[in-house]
Amino acid sequence: MWRTRPDLLLRIGICASVAISGYIHFDLYRGGYRYIHLIGPSFLLQAAASFALAVLLLGGPLTLRIAAGGLSVGALAAFVLSRTVGIFGFTEIGWQPAPKAAVSVAAELVTVLLCAVSVLLHVRARRRSRMSRGRAR
């Protein structure tokens, strides 16, 4: 219905940023986080969900973009919690492990931004479509 070049570019950007975040979470899991109770499995789950969404997003419905945005918001919330009050008894300091923490946060922020733009464009396109159908009657 509204598959345009900007839509395709947004989907590609979302796929890339979600995949980057997934790779970083998987790499941290392999690098030692797997031994941290509850945190390790959470990192593996984050990576698996990210990779699955990255594959499915190119041709999938709007709900997958909303899911990708939600996954990234959750990862950002967990990041903040892990550096403030802790999460599942686990606390980190600053931007360690560097540079992976910063790259992951950047990828997740990009994902949230691109998902928001994508959803807004979709809503606007649907509104225009309804208005044009209403005028034709």
Side-chain angles (χ1 to χ4, degrees):
M1 170 173 98
W2 78 291
R3 308 243 176 186
T4 61
R5 184 173 296 223
D7 179 51
L8 179 62
L9 293 175
L10 281 168
R11 286 173 186 258
I12 291 169
I14 294 167
C15 290
S17 61
V18 166
I20 289 167
S21 174
Y23 175 77
I24 290 170
H25 280 86
F26 181 68
D27 192 45
L28 288 170
Y29 172 82
R30 286 184 314 157
Y33 278 55
R34 73 176 123 200
Y35 302 112
I36 303 169
H37 181 66
L38 295 175
I39 299 298
S42 298
F43 268 62
L44 189 58
L45 182 61
Q46 173 79 19
S50 296
F51 292 141
L53 281 170
V55 169
L56 296 171
L57 272 166
L58 275 179
L62 180 66
T63 53
L64 289 176
R65 286 175 264 178
I66 294 169
L71 184 68
S72 291
V73 166
L76 288 168
F79 181 86
V80 169
L81 287 173
S82 73
R83 276 136 179 90
T84 54
V85 297
I87 185 167
F88 302 127
F90 178 72
T91 306
E92 288 187 294
I93 298 171
W95 290 96
Q96 295 301 322
K100 292 175 185 172
V103 174
S104 179
V105 167
E108 288 150 6
L109 287 172
V110 167
T111 299
V112 170
L113 176 68
L114 293 178
C115 287
V117 169
S118 181
V119 169
L120 289 174
L121 288 176
H122 182 77
V123 167
R124 192 168 87 180
R126 289 194 68 169
R127 189 174 295 147
R128 283 185 183 164
S129 176
R130 285 185 189 148
M131 290 175 74
S132 66
R133 277 189 262 146
R135 289 182 194 154
R137 292 181 183 187

